[in-house]
Amino acid sequence: MARKRTLADELEDDFALDNEYLSDNDSDGDKTAVNTQEPAKAAKKRGALTSEKTDNPDKRAKTVSNKPSGKGTTASKFSVPSEANEQADLWNKYMKKAHPGITDLELADHLMLPQHIYTTTPAPSDTYLEDLAKTAVSTGKSKNKVMHGAPQVLVICSSALRVVDLVKRLRPVSKRGVLKLFSRHIKIADQQKALKTTAVDVAVGTPNRILKLMTGGELKVNRLRLVVIDCWQDDKMRVVIDMDDTRKDLFAIWQDVLLPASANPDYGFKFRLA
């Protein structure tokens, strides 16, 4: 039976790996043939075999523990480089993966370059994201004074649950409220209304909803200073730039909205994978 596909905004944090148990069905029976003409010698041989099994229990345990289970393999931790050129290369690598039919010539028109990367960042720490946001908000200046629906910091995450978590962490960054932009239990019409009437410095959301609000004109980029791609791994070790449910919308945000806007001299936003 086909398994129902789960959208990124509907992800839950209840995934657990199945435990695999190994069983040992080897027989412990003694199959040594006994020579009826030499009962003493045969008995001595049987005794030696029995003693060997008893005195070396680790030998059988080692054999069982080395059997490959084939399941439950732990995925590797996603590593985000710190250098600007390496971050740009990583982004371009996954952008090409999201569009397997694209040629190198076509990709060249959409590449992220090192100059697109935010480099004046604090050293990575437990509050790395908060420190990034504070830096961008405190130094953000724009010739365009329109405030409604125009954040200075935009954080793009893989799921609604992750958005809620980051919104809590980023509330102290600005005196204005932090907007959460995802589709789970929130109608897009309500978010459109909030963006049209609310001054905001920080917004956090998922790729699909952010893309819809940007293309609709409600989520503006004229005050944008920093776009953070949240490379947090969920319980299934998935990351927003490599998830089937999120990566195409994520790269569409770059290709269709942010890359063209970056050519405007009045806009000065940068990217950071974190």
Side-chain angles (χ1 to χ4, degrees):
M1 182 181 295
R3 183 174 296 177
K4 185 177 180 180
R5 186 176 182 180
T6 303
L7 295 177
D9 285 349
E10 300 175 348
L11 294 176
E12 299 292 347
D13 290 337
D14 57 357
F15 178 81
L17 293 176
D18 293 332
N19 291 325
E20 171 133 345
Y21 297 91
L22 298 176
S23 60
D24 179 26
N25 296 322
D26 293 342
S27 173
D28 288 334
D30 183 7
K31 299 180 181 180
T32 305
V34 179
N35 187 334
T36 57
Q37 293 181 356
E38 298 180 5
K41 184 176 181 180
K44 184 176 180 181
K45 184 176 182 180
R46 287 198 302 273
L49 290 174
T50 303
S51 176
E52 181 180 355
K53 291 183 180 181
T54 303
D55 295 340
N56 296 278
D58 292 339
K59 183 176 181 181
R60 288 175 54 76
K62 182 177 180 181
T63 302
V64 173
S65 64
N66 287 338
K67 290 181 181 179
S69 64
K71 294 182 180 180
T73 302
T74 303
S76 60
K77 180 177 176 61
F78 187 83
S79 178
V80 179
S82 59
E83 297 298 323
N85 62 320
E86 293 176 342
Q87 287 216 353
D89 289 344
L90 182 67
W91 174 269
N92 295 330
K93 169 187 173 182
Y94 281 98
M95 180 165 59
K96 185 172 183 178
K97 184 177 179 181
H99 302 284
I102 194 172
T103 66
D104 290 339
L105 184 61
E106 293 170 329
L107 184 66
D109 294 331
H110 304 287
L111 290 177
M112 183 176 287
L113 303 175
Q115 54 262 40
H116 292 130
I117 302 297
Y118 192 82
T119 55
T120 56
T121 57
S125 66
D126 292 339
T127 59
Y128 181 56
L129 180 61
E130 293 91 324
D131 294 338
L132 277 173
K134 286 178 181 178
T135 301
V137 169
S138 63
T139 61
K141 295 180 181 180
S142 174
K143 297 178 181 179
N144 193 328
K145 299 301 181 181
V146 175
M147 303 286 285
H148 295 166
Q152 290 181 294
V153 178
L154 177 64
V155 183
I156 307 178
C157 320
S158 60
S159 71
L161 293 175
R162 179 62 174 171
V163 170
V164 172
D165 179 51
L166 293 186
V167 165
K168 293 177 182 177
R169 288 173 52 184
L170 292 171
R171 278 174 182 160
V173 171
S174 172
K175 294 180 181 180
R176 300 185 177 95
V178 179
L179 283 184
K180 50 179 181 280
L181 306 174
F182 55 82
S183 62
R184 187 178 184 182
H185 307 312
I186 303 179
K187 295 180 180 179
I188 191 170
D190 294 336
Q191 292 171 335
Q192 290 170 332
K193 182 179 179 180
L195 288 166
K196 290 178 180 178
T197 58
T198 305
V200 60
D201 285 325
V202 182
V204 186
T206 52
N208 182 263
R209 182 51 55 94
I210 288 174
L211 179 61
K212 288 181 179 179
L213 292 170
M214 280 184 166
T215 54
E218 295 84 13
L219 182 59
K220 301 176 177 62
V221 299
N222 56 290
R223 293 180 66 243
L224 199 57
R225 299 288 300 174
L226 176 65
V227 179
V228 178
I229 308 301
D230 176 44
C231 294
W232 168 82
Q233 286 180 290
D234 64 13
D235 288 340
K236 298 180 182 180
M237 306 304 284
R238 299 177 301 180
V239 183
V240 65
I241 65 173
D242 196 31
M243 292 172 61
D244 291 338
D245 295 334
T246 59
R247 61 185 181 184
K248 287 191 176 181
D249 289 331
L250 175 64
F251 292 118
I253 292 171
W254 165 249
Q255 296 167 2
D256 300 339
V257 181
L258 296 181
L259 179 59
S262 67
N264 188 329
D266 290 338
Y267 299 164
F269 59 84
K270 299 287 185 178
F271 270 74
R272 190 72 190 177
L273 278 67

